[in-house]
Amino acid sequence: MYVLKTALNPVALALMGGLLAGAFMSATAAEARERQGGGGWQNSRGGSGTYQCYTAREPGSLNRETSWQHADGRSGASSLNRERNREAGSWSSDRSVTNGNGNTASWNKSGQKTDSGAVVHGEGTNFKGQDVSMDRAISKNDDGSRSVETTRLNETTGKSLSTDKTVTPTADGYVSTGSYATGSGKTGITSGSLVRTDSGRPVRTA
């Protein structure tokens, strides 16, 4: 069984849209759509540190700037800009992350709603400086689940990974099952879930 696990670390959380741990300070009345906050983090490998986060929202757009410091002195930062057009059913986002080693990855993604679900395309550069891309098709099923077909391609190395999943909502998250295939011919199955805890932080197993 192929199971993809996400460790609790600042880079992974930043790619998910920002660090969620810690308490945000109250925004002033003049900046009702802006928030600044910070706190501490710790991952399963014993790493720890602090982070700061600034978020600005306007109708149809969001900007988030995050920085963090490891206990060993390394630091990193991430930036997210997101735009949404509800009438057109389209959205786009640009992300960049600089990790504790000083390497930077950037990513831009766009999506469009369709009659059956949505299509998404993304492309960027990973921490190794390699060009990567992603295409995803999402379809609604009669039972409330979603069929998600995704193809990821490393355009520099030629390696690819395709997944075909069914994602079913639950009372406190979702479960997913499916299969994968690599460009070299390897195949397998995938499974996972996400559960929202009492603290509001999601716990993902795949």
Side-chain angles (χ1 to χ4, degrees):
M1 178 178 295
Y2 172 85
V3 178
L4 177 63
K5 296 183 177 180
T6 301
L8 181 60
N9 58 65
V11 175
L13 292 172
L15 291 174
M16 292 171 65
L19 297 163
L20 303 178
F24 283 100
M25 296 182 293
S26 299
T28 64
E31 299 175 334
R33 303 295 290 179
E34 299 182 2
R35 284 186 174 182
Q36 295 186 18
W41 60 268
Q42 185 172 6
N43 63 27
S44 59
R45 297 187 297 272
S48 63
T50 60
Y51 76 92
Q52 299 78 43
C53 183
Y54 166 80
T55 304
R57 297 176 183 270
E58 294 181 5
S61 68
L62 177 146
N63 171 257
R64 177 174 290 130
E65 304 290 335
T66 306
S67 61
W68 57 87
Q69 298 78 39
H70 296 256
D72 62 7
R74 294 181 302 160
S75 62
S78 69
S79 175
L80 166 66
N81 291 287
R82 188 167 63 204
E83 303 287 339
R84 179 181 295 272
N85 187 326
R86 294 186 180 276
E87 293 185 359
S90 60
W91 65 92
S92 62
S93 66
D94 293 290
R95 301 175 187 266
S96 66
V97 179
T98 301
N99 64 18
N101 296 322
N103 300 317
T104 298
S106 60
W107 187 257
N108 63 75
K109 184 165 59 176
S110 61
Q112 177 67 55
K113 287 186 177 180
T114 65
D115 293 339
S116 59
V119 292
V120 183
H121 174 74
E123 55 188 36
T125 305
N126 63 19
F127 288 116
K128 296 180 179 181
Q130 300 169 335
D131 294 331
V132 293
S133 64
M134 181 273 294
D135 285 285
R136 175 174 294 150
I138 305 170
S139 301
K140 302 175 183 178
N141 300 321
D142 294 338
D143 61 359
S145 65
R146 299 289 188 272
S147 296
V148 183
E149 297 181 4
T150 305
T151 298
R152 294 179 174 85
L153 174 64
N154 186 316
E155 298 178 5
T156 302
T157 65
K159 294 181 179 180
S160 64
L161 173 67
S162 298
T163 59
D164 187 353
K165 296 182 179 180
T166 298
V167 181
T168 304
T170 62
D172 53 4
Y174 68 76
V175 295
S176 68
T177 58
S179 60
Y180 75 91
T182 69
S184 61
K186 294 182 180 180
T187 61
I189 61 174
T190 64
S191 65
S193 64
L194 180 144
V195 177
R196 297 180 181 87
T197 62
D198 293 338
S199 65
R201 181 183 299 171
V203 177
R204 192 188 307 268
T205 61

